[in-house]
């Protein structure tokens, strides 16, 4: 097999990898770039070798057979609505539903391609290449890594991963799987390699930390949480802490639409009697009239306005657009805000302005990516002959850790 990394060897995100045989061409991830990470740097281009992925040209004799998406973060799926609509897309069911909900709420394009769902360890054969998806722990729900096999050669692509979230058992299972030992090539992410000796806090530890903030001795009033609505592990951690401290969880209608698509064990207003929702004022009547299916089923779980205004025992998931809620609709006396996103977003104007609404801001966050011991353990478990770095700004750090096994892909430098 031949590996061509169209983008992602020298930056975090925007992954696009092609793995091909004489017969078959498969793309793994078709990500957009993360603008906030890549400011002030020259962008890696992906167009030249894969234009038949996007355009209806016959330039390449051999068309692309399929696109596999590891997870629903924009830096892995972001260009999916730009590819030719005849190419089948393989993705986790929940990942696709979360992505679709976000697209629908933000009035962005849906995908017309044939969609096929991935199932853990269920092999998919595409001509002479066999792909086995393996669930893996990451901050995106329903994330997969892939074993790619052809003529006894085996490549493993991690996608984004970690081993300190609630889905860590999946990462451990890959490491313990005897069938995955001694593979030829490991394509492994290294987002955190730029931090020397970095060890990540677990989502479980994070939940305990949040619990300390939520107890009445420390916060008498409501607790607001600024985090991504698509970070399901974090919502779970926040819910656990809310429950342990006798508070109810309040989510907005957008977050509720995501949660209700997921397995029933994930907190959601339909099946959890301590999860309620509210409709933010930023949502117009037009949106509610145009897309009633996103709003109507949730009406009965809506918290009453006077309760919203008077209760002091709530944990409320918020976004920067909810200024009106914080100022007028919810009690902020003796409250605090838990900031639970990447530190860098604080520099964005809308986030900085939102944070100013609160007297107390507590930072609680952990990485969605593997720390250094996890990367070392993973490499040692799979014991690959060759390691190819991806999703990293410090590819040379792999050489420090793993020596001559590391090979670089320079294809993406062609413009
Ligand atoms: Zn990523
Ligand atoms: Zn990711």
């Amino acid at each position: 097999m031949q590996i061509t990394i169209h983008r992602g060897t020298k930056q975090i995100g925007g992954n696009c990898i092609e793995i091909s045989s004489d017969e078959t061409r498969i793309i793994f991830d078709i990500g957009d770039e993360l603008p906030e990470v890549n400011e002030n740097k020259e962008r890696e281009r992906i167009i030249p070798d894969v234009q038949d992925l996007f355009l209806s040209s016959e330039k390449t004799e051999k068309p692309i057979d399929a696109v596999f998406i590891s997870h629903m973060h924009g830096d892995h799926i972001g260009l999916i609505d730009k590819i030719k609509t005849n190419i089948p897309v393989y993705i986790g069911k929940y990942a696709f539903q979360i992505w679709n909900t976000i697209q629908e709420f933000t009035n962005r394009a849906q995908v017309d391609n044939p969609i096929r769902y991935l199932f853990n360890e269920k092999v998919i054969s595409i001509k002479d290449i066999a792909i086995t998806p393996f669930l893996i722990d990451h901050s995106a729900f329903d994330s997969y890594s892939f074993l790619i096999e052809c003529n006894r050669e085996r490549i493993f692509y991690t996608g984004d991963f970690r081993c300190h979230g609630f889905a860590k058992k999946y990462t451990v299972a890959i490491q313990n799987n005897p069938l995955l030992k001694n593979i030829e090539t490991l394509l492994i992410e290294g987002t955190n390699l730029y931090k020397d000796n970095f060890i990540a806090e677990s989502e479980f530890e994070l939940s305990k930390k949040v619990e300390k903030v939520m107890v009445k001795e420390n916060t008498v009033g409501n607790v607001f949480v600024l985090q991504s609505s698509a970070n399901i592990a974090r919502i779970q951690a926040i819910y656990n802490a809310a429950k342990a401290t006798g508070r109810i969880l309040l989510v907005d209608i957008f977050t509720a639409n995501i949660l209700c698509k997921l397995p029933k064990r994930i907190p959601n207003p339909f099946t959890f009697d301590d999860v309620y929702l509210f409709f933010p004022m930023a949502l117009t009547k037009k949106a509610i009239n145009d897309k009633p299916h996103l709003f109507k089923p949730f009406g009965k779980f809506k918290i009453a306005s006077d309760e919203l205004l008077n209760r002091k025992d709530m944990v409320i998931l918020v976004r920067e657009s909810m200024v009106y809620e914080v100022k007028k609709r919810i009690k902020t006396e003796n409250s605090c805000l838990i900031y639970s996103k990447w530190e860098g977003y604080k520099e964005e104007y809308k986030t900085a302005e939102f944070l100013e609404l609160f007297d107390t801001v507590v930072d609680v966050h952990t990485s969605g990516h593997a720390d250094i011991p996890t990367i070392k353990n993973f490499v040692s478990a799979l014991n690959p002959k060759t390691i190819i770095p991806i999703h990293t700004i410090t590819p040379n750090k792999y050489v420090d850790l793993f020596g001559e096994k590391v090979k670089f892909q320079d294809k993406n430098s062609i413009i």
Side-chain angles (χ1 to χ4, degrees):
M1 283 181 282
Q2 194 186 339
I3 301 171
T4 311
I5 301 183
H6 294 295
R7 186 164 64 191
T9 55
K10 288 178 288 195
Q11 67 179 38
I12 293 170
N15 281 22
C16 183
I17 303 158
E18 179 175 339
I19 296 183
S20 56
S21 66
D22 291 341
E23 275 181 55
T24 316
R25 293 178 72 196
I26 300 175
I27 299 287
F28 291 87
D29 286 339
I30 178 73
D32 209 349
E33 293 197 277
L34 294 169
E36 67 280 2
V37 177
N38 295 316
E39 267 175 22
N40 307 322
K41 79 175 268 301
E42 206 176 307
R43 293 193 156 210
E44 290 185 40
R45 308 287 291 272
I46 59 166
I47 301 303
D49 284 0
V50 282
Q51 60 174 300
D52 53 333
L53 184 59
F54 300 103
L55 305 171
S56 295
S57 81
E58 300 301 325
K59 195 166 185 251
T60 315
E61 283 169 26
K62 213 166 38 157
I64 285 159
D65 295 286
V67 172
F68 281 71
I69 301 293
S70 62
H71 63 286
M72 50 62 65
H73 282 156
D75 59 320
H76 297 257
I77 193 176
L79 299 179
I80 197 77
D81 57 331
K82 309 271 188 302
I83 66 171
K84 289 200 298 201
T85 52
N86 63 326
I87 303 173
V89 172
Y90 291 78
I91 182 170
K93 178 177 152 191
Y94 297 120
F96 187 61
Q97 289 184 344
I98 295 171
W99 184 82
N100 251 337
T101 306
I102 295 170
Q103 295 294 101
E104 206 168 0
F105 263 92
T106 50
N107 294 318
R108 287 194 226 130
Q110 304 280 313
V111 167
D112 294 325
N113 299 57
I115 300 293
R116 318 247 154 93
Y117 291 135
L118 302 168
F119 295 97
N120 194 25
E121 300 195 34
K122 189 159 182 259
V123 185
I124 298 154
S125 294
I126 297 184
K127 297 182 183 166
D128 59 342
I129 296 184
I131 299 103
T132 314
F134 288 87
L135 276 168
I136 198 159
D137 185 24
H138 178 43
S139 50
F141 194 77
D142 203 22
S143 289
Y144 285 91
S145 53
F146 300 103
L147 172 69
I148 304 120
E149 297 173 280
C150 180
N151 294 329
R152 297 187 173 210
E153 185 191 348
R154 295 180 307 157
I155 297 168
F156 195 90
Y157 167 46
T158 60
D160 287 356
F161 83 109
R162 64 178 177 179
C163 196
H164 56 268
F166 295 127
K168 73 178 269 183
K169 66 175 182 185
Y170 294 115
T171 306
V172 172
I174 292 168
Q175 293 175 177
N176 292 338
N177 189 330
L179 300 173
L180 297 175
K181 304 277 173 218
N182 308 320
I183 53 162
E184 273 72 36
T185 308
L186 176 63
L187 272 151
I188 182 168
E189 75 118 315
T191 314
N192 283 324
L193 275 183
Y194 73 95
K195 304 177 204 166
D196 286 331
N197 305 317
F198 171 67
I199 296 176
E201 188 175 59
S202 72
E203 289 287 347
F204 182 77
E205 288 166 324
L206 181 142
S207 189
K208 290 285 161 204
K209 217 185 222 180
V210 170
E211 219 177 287
K212 282 201 185 117
V213 178
M214 287 182 187
V215 290
K216 288 283 172 185
E217 294 79 52
N218 293 326
T219 306
V220 179
N222 290 316
V223 176
F224 295 81
V225 183
L226 185 58
Q227 67 148 96
S228 158
S229 295
N231 188 340
I232 308 303
R234 190 62 42 80
I235 293 176
Q236 180 86 61
I238 297 292
Y239 171 78
N240 292 349
K243 192 170 181 61
T245 53
R247 291 173 180 268
I248 61 163
L249 180 69
L250 212 61
V251 300
D252 82 303
I253 184 71
F254 166 61
T255 311
N257 264 277
I258 291 176
L259 296 174
C260 76
K261 310 260 173 34
L262 304 179
K264 295 286 168 271
R265 64 184 159 82
I266 305 295
N268 73 82
F270 279 102
T271 50
F272 284 61
D273 58 12
D274 47 5
V275 181
Y276 293 80
L277 87 153
F278 65 102
F279 286 18
M281 290 302 270
L283 285 170
T284 61
K285 278 217 160 53
K286 186 176 180 314
I288 297 170
N289 289 337
D290 286 354
K291 296 177 178 173
H293 62 286
L294 299 176
F295 299 89
K296 271 203 174 143
F298 296 89
K300 61 181 167 186
F301 304 106
K302 220 162 106 175
I303 194 163
S305 326
D306 60 331
E307 262 196 275
L308 186 64
L309 188 62
N310 294 313
R311 281 185 85 142
K312 294 182 290 183
D313 62 341
M314 301 185 291
V315 173
I316 310 118
L317 301 192
V318 285
R319 285 189 300 283
E320 288 86 344
S321 59
M322 296 178 188
V323 174
Y324 186 78
E325 272 63 37
V326 175
K327 281 188 172 169
K328 302 278 185 195
R329 296 180 71 202
I330 305 174
K331 203 182 266 305
T332 50
E333 206 183 346
N334 300 316
S335 71
C336 93
L337 175 86
I338 292 175
Y339 180 84
S340 195
K341 295 203 291 188
W342 179 55
E343 189 66 18
Y345 291 132
K346 279 187 180 172
E347 284 164 29
E348 286 182 10
Y349 177 72
K350 60 172 186 174
T351 304
E353 202 181 37
F354 189 74
L355 293 180
E356 293 208 343
L357 299 173
F358 299 89
D359 293 333
T360 311
V361 174
V362 182
D363 292 302
V364 183
H365 189 48
T366 189
S367 178
H369 302 272
D371 58 15
I372 315 296
T374 300
I375 289 173
K376 284 184 183 167
N377 285 343
F378 202 87
V379 168
S380 137
L382 271 64
N383 191 30
K385 282 198 187 80
T386 302
I387 295 169
I388 299 180
I390 191 156
H391 207 280
T392 180
I393 50 169
T394 50
N396 284 322
K397 287 262 181 174
Y398 285 84
V399 182
D400 300 344
L401 289 176
F402 307 113
E404 288 179 358
K405 281 186 168 192
V406 179
K407 301 272 184 295
F408 294 111
Q409 278 272 355
D410 290 316
K411 190 84 180 170
N412 59 344
S413 58
I414 298 168
I415 294 178

